[in-house]
Amino acid sequence: MTTAENILTVIDNEVKGNDVVLFMKGSPEMPLCGFSGQVAQVLDFLGVPYKGINVLESDALRNGIKDYSNWPTIPQLYIKGEFVGGCDIVREMFQAGELQTLLKGKGIELRERA
Amino acid sequence: MAMNADEIERRIKVALPDAVVTIKDLAGDGDHYSALVMSEAFRGKSRLQQHQMVYAALKGSMGGELHALALQTVTPDSAPTTAH
């Protein structure tokens, strides 16, 4: 049994317990939505270790994450407990170099490819 | 459960009356759009806050009636080079 309150606790624990967390449709290896796939691709490109959480595995999770962040869409990227944004924001930040700066500023190792 | 482009534009302009809204139907299915929204109201706001303002204008439609909206927000003096 998963109540609305305890799914928020589960989400909170994931967000706070992992440096980089991506709530997505599908898995990092097999994204099931183009938007989720784009964010996974950016993180993979930067060589950022992250935890991918598939919201399609649970309706409670899929709805709970939207309440948790007050953000209506998936994917959602969190870095060190902070909500960064969805696909468009992540892509724009990556293209501007801001995502790399944010990650480095929070002490997260990048293995950026040439 | 599709929403047409005019309705998206109308809802955004109710919340942001000065907005210049450019919408493309990416897949031709009334379900996957890109929107470029230019408004003075975005000035001084973070990207996250700007996107929140547009989502708030679309009140609950995102992820429901409206499956996917690739969103780009700009202020009038920082017009983008491309509207994806």
Side-chain angles (χ1 to χ4, degrees):
Chain A
M1 286 278 284
T2 311
T3 64
E5 292 81 45
N6 74 29
I7 193 69
L8 293 179
T9 306
V10 169
I11 291 168
D12 197 50
N13 288 338
E14 293 286 8
V15 166
K16 292 182 175 152
N18 296 284
D19 281 351
V20 184
V21 189
L22 177 63
F23 291 87
M24 64 186 296
K25 294 180 179 173
S27 64
E29 299 72 32
M30 196 189 286
L32 293 175
C33 166
F35 297 95
S36 291
Q38 280 185 41
V39 178
Q41 231 172 25
V42 165
L43 296 175
D44 289 342
F45 179 84
L46 293 175
V48 181
Y50 66 100
K51 180 168 184 180
I53 297 177
N54 183 2
V55 302
L56 299 179
E57 286 177 355
S58 148
D59 273 347
L61 181 60
R62 185 175 181 170
N63 294 317
I65 190 64
K66 296 176 188 177
D67 293 335
Y68 180 82
S69 57
N70 190 29
W71 186 262
T73 57
I74 291 153
Q76 296 185 11
L77 180 66
Y78 293 79
I79 298 174
K80 292 265 185 179
E82 182 193 331
F83 178 47
V84 176
C87 173
D88 300 311
I89 287 178
V90 169
R91 192 188 51 246
E92 283 183 44
M93 287 181 74
F94 167 66
Q95 287 168 349
E98 295 166 19
L99 186 63
Q100 296 85 323
T101 305
L102 176 69
L103 286 159
K104 286 175 188 160
K106 290 188 181 274
I108 293 165
E109 290 286 319
L110 305 183
R111 300 185 308 271
E112 197 163 354
R113 292 173 217 164
Chain B
M1 290 215 306
M3 183 185 284
N4 70 43
D6 290 345
E7 177 62 13
I8 297 171
E9 180 170 350
R10 192 189 67 76
R11 291 192 194 187
I12 292 171
K13 284 189 168 172
V14 168
L16 305 167
D18 77 316
V20 178
V21 182
T22 309
I23 293 175
K24 287 183 191 162
D25 188 340
L26 297 174
D29 62 357
D31 215 16
H32 297 74
Y33 293 97
S34 72
L36 170 64
V37 183
M38 182 168 74
S39 171
E40 194 59 43
F42 295 144
R43 193 176 300 281
K45 302 280 204 300
S46 73
R47 231 179 237 133
L48 195 69
Q49 291 169 327
Q50 294 175 6
H51 283 223
Q52 289 280 29
M53 290 162 76
V54 176
Y55 288 147
L58 295 170
K59 290 183 195 72
S61 308
M62 290 302 305
E65 302 166 72
L66 184 56
H67 169 72
L69 181 71
L71 185 59
Q72 190 178 12
T73 51
V74 291
T75 48
D77 55 1
S78 62
T81 50
T82 54
H84 58 82

PDB file of all heavy atoms in Angstrom, chain A residues 68-96:
ATOM      1  N   TYR A  68       5.490  16.624  -5.856  1.00  0.00           N
ATOM      2  CA  TYR A  68       6.707  16.907  -5.086  1.00  0.00           C
ATOM      3  C   TYR A  68       7.392  18.169  -5.593  1.00  0.00           C
ATOM      4  O   TYR A  68       7.828  19.020  -4.829  1.00  0.00           O
ATOM      5  CB  TYR A  68       7.649  15.699  -5.188  1.00  0.00           C
ATOM      6  CG  TYR A  68       8.944  15.863  -4.450  1.00  0.00           C
ATOM      7  CD1 TYR A  68       9.013  15.624  -3.075  1.00  0.00           C
ATOM      8  CD2 TYR A  68      10.112  16.240  -5.114  1.00  0.00           C
ATOM      9  CE1 TYR A  68      10.207  15.777  -2.388  1.00  0.00           C
ATOM     10  CE2 TYR A  68      11.301  16.392  -4.428  1.00  0.00           C
ATOM     11  CZ  TYR A  68      11.346  16.158  -3.063  1.00  0.00           C
ATOM     12  OH  TYR A  68      12.529  16.310  -2.395  1.00  0.00           O
ATOM     13  N   SER A  69       7.476  18.288  -6.919  1.00  0.00           N
ATOM     14  CA  SER A  69       8.220  19.395  -7.538  1.00  0.00           C
ATOM     15  C   SER A  69       7.323  20.560  -7.930  1.00  0.00           C
ATOM     16  O   SER A  69       7.817  21.618  -8.277  1.00  0.00           O
ATOM     17  CB  SER A  69       8.901  18.883  -8.799  1.00  0.00           C
ATOM     18  OG  SER A  69       7.914  18.333  -9.669  1.00  0.00           O
ATOM     19  N   ASN A  70       6.008  20.344  -7.910  1.00  0.00           N
ATOM     20  CA  ASN A  70       5.082  21.304  -8.504  1.00  0.00           C
ATOM     21  C   ASN A  70       5.481  21.592  -9.951  1.00  0.00           C
ATOM     22  O   ASN A  70       5.554  22.741 -10.394  1.00  0.00           O
ATOM     23  CB  ASN A  70       5.011  22.591  -7.678  1.00  0.00           C
ATOM     24  CG  ASN A  70       3.884  23.503  -8.136  1.00  0.00           C
ATOM     25  OD1 ASN A  70       2.875  23.036  -8.655  1.00  0.00           O
ATOM     26  ND2 ASN A  70       4.061  24.800  -7.983  1.00  0.00           N
ATOM     27  N   TRP A  71       5.739  20.532 -10.659  1.00  0.00           N
ATOM     28  CA  TRP A  71       6.186  20.626 -12.059  1.00  0.00           C
ATOM     29  C   TRP A  71       5.394  19.558 -12.811  1.00  0.00           C
ATOM     30  O   TRP A  71       5.343  18.405 -12.368  1.00  0.00           O
ATOM     31  CB  TRP A  71       7.685  20.342 -12.130  1.00  0.00           C
ATOM     32  CG  TRP A  71       8.318  20.527 -13.455  1.00  0.00           C
ATOM     33  CD1 TRP A  71       8.600  19.554 -14.374  1.00  0.00           C
ATOM     34  CD2 TRP A  71       8.816  21.748 -14.027  1.00  0.00           C
ATOM     35  NE1 TRP A  71       9.229  20.096 -15.461  1.00  0.00           N
ATOM     36  CE2 TRP A  71       9.362  21.446 -15.286  1.00  0.00           C
ATOM     37  CE3 TRP A  71       8.825  23.083 -13.583  1.00  0.00           C
ATOM     38  CZ2 TRP A  71       9.926  22.410 -16.110  1.00  0.00           C
ATOM     39  CZ3 TRP A  71       9.392  24.031 -14.401  1.00  0.00           C
ATOM     40  CH2 TRP A  71       9.929  23.696 -15.640  1.00  0.00           C
ATOM     41  N   PRO A  72       4.783  19.907 -13.952  1.00  0.00           N
ATOM     42  CA  PRO A  72       3.776  19.001 -14.521  1.00  0.00           C
ATOM     43  C   PRO A  72       4.296  17.897 -15.435  1.00  0.00           C
ATOM     44  O   PRO A  72       3.514  17.039 -15.851  1.00  0.00           O
ATOM     45  CB  PRO A  72       2.895  19.964 -15.331  1.00  0.00           C
ATOM     46  CG  PRO A  72       3.827  21.061 -15.743  1.00  0.00           C
ATOM     47  CD  PRO A  72       4.828  21.210 -14.634  1.00  0.00           C
ATOM     48  N   THR A  73       5.551  17.940 -15.774  1.00  0.00           N
ATOM     49  CA  THR A  73       6.015  16.987 -16.786  1.00  0.00           C
ATOM     50  C   THR A  73       7.213  16.171 -16.309  1.00  0.00           C
ATOM     51  O   THR A  73       7.873  16.510 -15.333  1.00  0.00           O
ATOM     52  CB  THR A  73       6.402  17.724 -18.090  1.00  0.00           C
ATOM     53  OG1 THR A  73       7.402  18.695 -17.790  1.00  0.00           O
ATOM     54  CG2 THR A  73       5.203  18.408 -18.715  1.00  0.00           C
ATOM     55  N   ILE A  74       7.472  15.120 -17.033  1.00  0.00           N
ATOM     56  CA  ILE A  74       8.603  14.225 -16.795  1.00  0.00           C
ATOM     57  C   ILE A  74       9.392  14.203 -18.099  1.00  0.00           C
ATOM     58  O   ILE A  74       8.760  14.167 -19.169  1.00  0.00           O
ATOM     59  CB  ILE A  74       8.071  12.834 -16.411  1.00  0.00           C
ATOM     60  CG1 ILE A  74       7.431  12.927 -15.017  1.00  0.00           C
ATOM     61  CG2 ILE A  74       9.160  11.766 -16.436  1.00  0.00           C
ATOM     62  CD1 ILE A  74       6.369  11.914 -14.771  1.00  0.00           C
ATOM     63  N   PRO A  75      10.683  14.253 -18.112  1.00  0.00           N
ATOM     64  CA  PRO A  75      11.632  14.023 -17.005  1.00  0.00           C
ATOM     65  C   PRO A  75      11.797  15.208 -16.045  1.00  0.00           C
ATOM     66  O   PRO A  75      11.431  16.324 -16.353  1.00  0.00           O
ATOM     67  CB  PRO A  75      12.944  13.804 -17.770  1.00  0.00           C
ATOM     68  CG  PRO A  75      12.807  14.655 -18.993  1.00  0.00           C
ATOM     69  CD  PRO A  75      11.372  14.487 -19.377  1.00  0.00           C
ATOM     70  N   GLN A  76      12.380  14.879 -14.890  1.00  0.00           N
ATOM     71  CA  GLN A  76      12.755  15.879 -13.902  1.00  0.00           C
ATOM     72  C   GLN A  76      14.134  15.530 -13.352  1.00  0.00           C
ATOM     73  O   GLN A  76      14.362  14.417 -12.907  1.00  0.00           O
ATOM     74  CB  GLN A  76      11.750  15.891 -12.744  1.00  0.00           C
ATOM     75  CG  GLN A  76      10.342  16.300 -13.172  1.00  0.00           C
ATOM     76  CD  GLN A  76       9.398  16.426 -11.984  1.00  0.00           C
ATOM     77  OE1 GLN A  76       9.822  16.414 -10.834  1.00  0.00           O
ATOM     78  NE2 GLN A  76       8.111  16.528 -12.274  1.00  0.00           N
ATOM     79  N   LEU A  77      15.017  16.510 -13.396  1.00  0.00           N
ATOM     80  CA  LEU A  77      16.391  16.295 -12.930  1.00  0.00           C
ATOM     81  C   LEU A  77      16.638  17.013 -11.601  1.00  0.00           C
ATOM     82  O   LEU A  77      16.303  18.187 -11.460  1.00  0.00           O
ATOM     83  CB  LEU A  77      17.379  16.817 -13.984  1.00  0.00           C
ATOM     84  CG  LEU A  77      18.868  16.667 -13.635  1.00  0.00           C
ATOM     85  CD1 LEU A  77      19.284  15.187 -13.577  1.00  0.00           C
ATOM     86  CD2 LEU A  77      19.745  17.419 -14.627  1.00  0.00           C
ATOM     87  N   TYR A  78      17.224  16.270 -10.670  1.00  0.00           N
ATOM     88  CA  TYR A  78      17.601  16.826  -9.370  1.00  0.00           C
ATOM     89  C   TYR A  78      19.093  16.663  -9.177  1.00  0.00           C
ATOM     90  O   TYR A  78      19.648  15.594  -9.431  1.00  0.00           O
ATOM     91  CB  TYR A  78      16.877  16.094  -8.228  1.00  0.00           C
ATOM     92  CG  TYR A  78      15.393  16.328  -8.224  1.00  0.00           C
ATOM     93  CD1 TYR A  78      14.560  15.634  -9.096  1.00  0.00           C
ATOM     94  CD2 TYR A  78      14.818  17.267  -7.372  1.00  0.00           C
ATOM     95  CE1 TYR A  78      13.193  15.866  -9.118  1.00  0.00           C
ATOM     96  CE2 TYR A  78      13.455  17.502  -7.379  1.00  0.00           C
ATOM     97  CZ  TYR A  78      12.652  16.804  -8.249  1.00  0.00           C
ATOM     98  OH  TYR A  78      11.301  17.039  -8.263  1.00  0.00           O
ATOM     99  N   ILE A  79      19.732  17.741  -8.712  1.00  0.00           N
ATOM    100  CA  ILE A  79      21.157  17.686  -8.407  1.00  0.00           C
ATOM    101  C   ILE A  79      21.346  18.136  -6.968  1.00  0.00           C
ATOM    102  O   ILE A  79      20.934  19.233  -6.600  1.00  0.00           O
ATOM    103  CB  ILE A  79      21.965  18.582  -9.369  1.00  0.00           C
ATOM    104  CG1 ILE A  79      21.798  18.082 -10.811  1.00  0.00           C
ATOM    105  CG2 ILE A  79      23.444  18.592  -8.966  1.00  0.00           C
ATOM    106  CD1 ILE A  79      22.435  18.975 -11.856  1.00  0.00           C
ATOM    107  N   LYS A  80      21.936  17.265  -6.166  1.00  0.00           N
ATOM    108  CA  LYS A  80      22.166  17.536  -4.730  1.00  0.00           C
ATOM    109  C   LYS A  80      20.895  18.059  -4.054  1.00  0.00           C
ATOM    110  O   LYS A  80      20.917  19.061  -3.335  1.00  0.00           O
ATOM    111  CB  LYS A  80      23.314  18.544  -4.567  1.00  0.00           C
ATOM    112  CG  LYS A  80      24.674  17.987  -4.978  1.00  0.00           C
ATOM    113  CD  LYS A  80      25.439  17.443  -3.789  1.00  0.00           C
ATOM    114  CE  LYS A  80      26.843  17.011  -4.219  1.00  0.00           C
ATOM    115  NZ  LYS A  80      27.631  16.498  -3.089  1.00  0.00           N
ATOM    116  N   GLY A  81      19.805  17.406  -4.326  1.00  0.00           N
ATOM    117  CA  GLY A  81      18.559  17.747  -3.650  1.00  0.00           C
ATOM    118  C   GLY A  81      17.798  18.909  -4.256  1.00  0.00           C
ATOM    119  O   GLY A  81      16.710  19.246  -3.802  1.00  0.00           O
ATOM    120  N   GLU A  82      18.373  19.533  -5.273  1.00  0.00           N
ATOM    121  CA  GLU A  82      17.723  20.717  -5.866  1.00  0.00           C
ATOM    122  C   GLU A  82      17.113  20.373  -7.220  1.00  0.00           C
ATOM    123  O   GLU A  82      17.755  19.729  -8.059  1.00  0.00           O
ATOM    124  CB  GLU A  82      18.790  21.815  -6.039  1.00  0.00           C
ATOM    125  CG  GLU A  82      18.251  23.112  -6.594  1.00  0.00           C
ATOM    126  CD  GLU A  82      19.383  24.050  -7.046  1.00  0.00           C
ATOM    127  OE1 GLU A  82      20.482  23.973  -6.464  1.00  0.00           O
ATOM    128  OE2 GLU A  82      19.160  24.814  -7.991  1.00  0.00           O
ATOM    129  N   PHE A  83      15.880  20.793  -7.433  1.00  0.00           N
ATOM    130  CA  PHE A  83      15.216  20.576  -8.715  1.00  0.00           C
ATOM    131  C   PHE A  83      15.814  21.507  -9.762  1.00  0.00           C
ATOM    132  O   PHE A  83      15.827  22.713  -9.585  1.00  0.00           O
ATOM    133  CB  PHE A  83      13.713  20.820  -8.572  1.00  0.00           C
ATOM    134  CG  PHE A  83      12.948  20.656  -9.860  1.00  0.00           C
ATOM    135  CD1 PHE A  83      13.156  19.548 -10.668  1.00  0.00           C
ATOM    136  CD2 PHE A  83      12.030  21.604 -10.259  1.00  0.00           C
ATOM    137  CE1 PHE A  83      12.445  19.399 -11.861  1.00  0.00           C
ATOM    138  CE2 PHE A  83      11.314  21.461 -11.441  1.00  0.00           C
ATOM    139  CZ  PHE A  83      11.537  20.352 -12.243  1.00  0.00           C
ATOM    140  N   VAL A  84      16.329  20.926 -10.831  1.00  0.00           N
ATOM    141  CA  VAL A  84      16.983  21.720 -11.881  1.00  0.00           C
ATOM    142  C   VAL A  84      15.997  22.062 -12.991  1.00  0.00           C
ATOM    143  O   VAL A  84      15.957  23.189 -13.483  1.00  0.00           O
ATOM    144  CB  VAL A  84      18.186  20.947 -12.469  1.00  0.00           C
ATOM    145  CG1 VAL A  84      18.808  21.714 -13.630  1.00  0.00           C
ATOM    146  CG2 VAL A  84      19.226  20.696 -11.385  1.00  0.00           C
ATOM    147  N   GLY A  85      15.185  21.098 -13.398  1.00  0.00           N
ATOM    148  CA  GLY A  85      14.206  21.366 -14.448  1.00  0.00           C
ATOM    149  C   GLY A  85      13.928  20.141 -15.284  1.00  0.00           C
ATOM    150  O   GLY A  85      14.358  19.035 -14.957  1.00  0.00           O
ATOM    151  N   GLY A  86      13.188  20.390 -16.375  1.00  0.00           N
ATOM    152  CA  GLY A  86      12.855  19.327 -17.305  1.00  0.00           C
ATOM    153  C   GLY A  86      13.778  19.348 -18.515  1.00  0.00           C
ATOM    154  O   GLY A  86      14.819  19.996 -18.508  1.00  0.00           O
ATOM    155  N   CYS A  87      13.347  18.664 -19.553  1.00  0.00           N
ATOM    156  CA  CYS A  87      14.194  18.460 -20.725  1.00  0.00           C
ATOM    157  C   CYS A  87      14.682  19.770 -21.361  1.00  0.00           C
ATOM    158  O   CYS A  87      15.857  19.925 -21.667  1.00  0.00           O
ATOM    159  CB  CYS A  87      13.417  17.642 -21.746  1.00  0.00           C
ATOM    160  SG  CYS A  87      14.236  17.468 -23.314  1.00  0.00           S
ATOM    161  N   ASP A  88      13.778  20.714 -21.554  1.00  0.00           N
ATOM    162  CA  ASP A  88      14.161  21.952 -22.250  1.00  0.00           C
ATOM    163  C   ASP A  88      15.198  22.746 -21.463  1.00  0.00           C
ATOM    164  O   ASP A  88      16.156  23.263 -22.025  1.00  0.00           O
ATOM    165  CB  ASP A  88      12.937  22.839 -22.486  1.00  0.00           C
ATOM    166  CG  ASP A  88      11.889  22.140 -23.331  1.00  0.00           C
ATOM    167  OD1 ASP A  88      12.261  21.594 -24.378  1.00  0.00           O
ATOM    168  OD2 ASP A  88      10.721  22.124 -22.929  1.00  0.00           O
ATOM    169  N   ILE A  89      14.970  22.825 -20.153  1.00  0.00           N
ATOM    170  CA  ILE A  89      15.889  23.579 -19.303  1.00  0.00           C
ATOM    171  C   ILE A  89      17.255  22.894 -19.262  1.00  0.00           C
ATOM    172  O   ILE A  89      18.289  23.541 -19.394  1.00  0.00           O
ATOM    173  CB  ILE A  89      15.292  23.733 -17.881  1.00  0.00           C
ATOM    174  CG1 ILE A  89      14.141  24.745 -17.948  1.00  0.00           C
ATOM    175  CG2 ILE A  89      16.349  24.161 -16.879  1.00  0.00           C
ATOM    176  CD1 ILE A  89      13.411  24.963 -16.642  1.00  0.00           C
ATOM    177  N   VAL A  90      17.244  21.575 -19.126  1.00  0.00           N
ATOM    178  CA  VAL A  90      18.511  20.843 -19.068  1.00  0.00           C
ATOM    179  C   VAL A  90      19.279  21.021 -20.382  1.00  0.00           C
ATOM    180  O   VAL A  90      20.481  21.279 -20.383  1.00  0.00           O
ATOM    181  CB  VAL A  90      18.272  19.341 -18.775  1.00  0.00           C
ATOM    182  CG1 VAL A  90      19.544  18.533 -18.977  1.00  0.00           C
ATOM    183  CG2 VAL A  90      17.737  19.164 -17.358  1.00  0.00           C
ATOM    184  N   ARG A  91      18.552  20.929 -21.492  1.00  0.00           N
ATOM    185  CA  ARG A  91      19.231  21.064 -22.781  1.00  0.00           C
ATOM    186  C   ARG A  91      19.807  22.468 -22.976  1.00  0.00           C
ATOM    187  O   ARG A  91      20.940  22.636 -23.382  1.00  0.00           O
ATOM    188  CB  ARG A  91      18.286  20.724 -23.928  1.00  0.00           C
ATOM    189  CG  ARG A  91      19.005  20.563 -25.276  1.00  0.00           C
ATOM    190  CD  ARG A  91      18.052  20.412 -26.451  1.00  0.00           C
ATOM    191  NE  ARG A  91      17.072  21.467 -26.430  1.00  0.00           N
ATOM    192  CZ  ARG A  91      15.755  21.276 -26.229  1.00  0.00           C
ATOM    193  NH1 ARG A  91      15.284  20.073 -26.060  1.00  0.00           N
ATOM    194  NH2 ARG A  91      14.944  22.300 -26.200  1.00  0.00           N
ATOM    195  N   GLU A  92      19.013  23.483 -22.621  1.00  0.00           N
ATOM    196  CA  GLU A  92      19.506  24.860 -22.764  1.00  0.00           C
ATOM    197  C   GLU A  92      20.701  25.117 -21.850  1.00  0.00           C
ATOM    198  O   GLU A  92      21.659  25.787 -22.241  1.00  0.00           O
ATOM    199  CB  GLU A  92      18.397  25.869 -22.434  1.00  0.00           C
ATOM    200  CG  GLU A  92      17.382  26.029 -23.547  1.00  0.00           C
ATOM    201  CD  GLU A  92      16.335  27.099 -23.214  1.00  0.00           C
ATOM    202  OE1 GLU A  92      16.718  28.163 -22.714  1.00  0.00           O
ATOM    203  OE2 GLU A  92      15.143  26.855 -23.447  1.00  0.00           O
ATOM    204  N   MET A  93      20.622  24.597 -20.626  1.00  0.00           N
ATOM    205  CA  MET A  93      21.740  24.784 -19.682  1.00  0.00           C
ATOM    206  C   MET A  93      22.988  24.065 -20.179  1.00  0.00           C
ATOM    207  O   MET A  93      24.103  24.576 -20.065  1.00  0.00           O
ATOM    208  CB  MET A  93      21.359  24.251 -18.299  1.00  0.00           C
ATOM    209  CG  MET A  93      20.357  25.121 -17.570  1.00  0.00           C
ATOM    210  SD  MET A  93      19.983  24.458 -15.931  1.00  0.00           S
ATOM    211  CE  MET A  93      21.501  24.871 -15.040  1.00  0.00           C
ATOM    212  N   PHE A  94      22.802  22.877 -20.730  1.00  0.00           N
ATOM    213  CA  PHE A  94      23.929  22.115 -21.263  1.00  0.00           C
ATOM    214  C   PHE A  94      24.577  22.876 -22.420  1.00  0.00           C
ATOM    215  O   PHE A  94      25.799  23.036 -22.476  1.00  0.00           O
ATOM    216  CB  PHE A  94      23.446  20.739 -21.722  1.00  0.00           C
ATOM    217  CG  PHE A  94      24.443  19.985 -22.558  1.00  0.00           C
ATOM    218  CD1 PHE A  94      25.648  19.554 -22.016  1.00  0.00           C
ATOM    219  CD2 PHE A  94      24.173  19.692 -23.889  1.00  0.00           C
ATOM    220  CE1 PHE A  94      26.565  18.862 -22.785  1.00  0.00           C
ATOM    221  CE2 PHE A  94      25.091  18.998 -24.668  1.00  0.00           C
ATOM    222  CZ  PHE A  94      26.293  18.584 -24.113  1.00  0.00           C
ATOM    223  N   GLN A  95      23.749  23.380 -23.334  1.00  0.00           N
ATOM    224  CA  GLN A  95      24.281  24.073 -24.512  1.00  0.00           C
ATOM    225  C   GLN A  95      25.000  25.361 -24.122  1.00  0.00           C
ATOM    226  O   GLN A  95      25.947  25.779 -24.787  1.00  0.00           O
ATOM    227  CB  GLN A  95      23.153  24.359 -25.507  1.00  0.00           C
ATOM    228  CG  GLN A  95      22.706  23.080 -26.215  1.00  0.00           C
ATOM    229  CD  GLN A  95      21.411  23.236 -27.004  1.00  0.00           C
ATOM    230  OE1 GLN A  95      20.712  24.236 -26.875  1.00  0.00           O
ATOM    231  NE2 GLN A  95      21.092  22.248 -27.814  1.00  0.00           N
ATOM    232  N   ALA A  96      24.551  25.986 -23.032  1.00  0.00           N
ATOM    233  CA  ALA A  96      25.177  27.227 -22.577  1.00  0.00           C
ATOM    234  C   ALA A  96      26.371  26.972 -21.647  1.00  0.00           C
ATOM    235  O   ALA A  96      27.042  27.902 -21.222  1.00  0.00           O
ATOM    236  CB  ALA A  96      24.136  28.087 -21.865  1.00  0.00           C
TER     237      ALA A  96
END
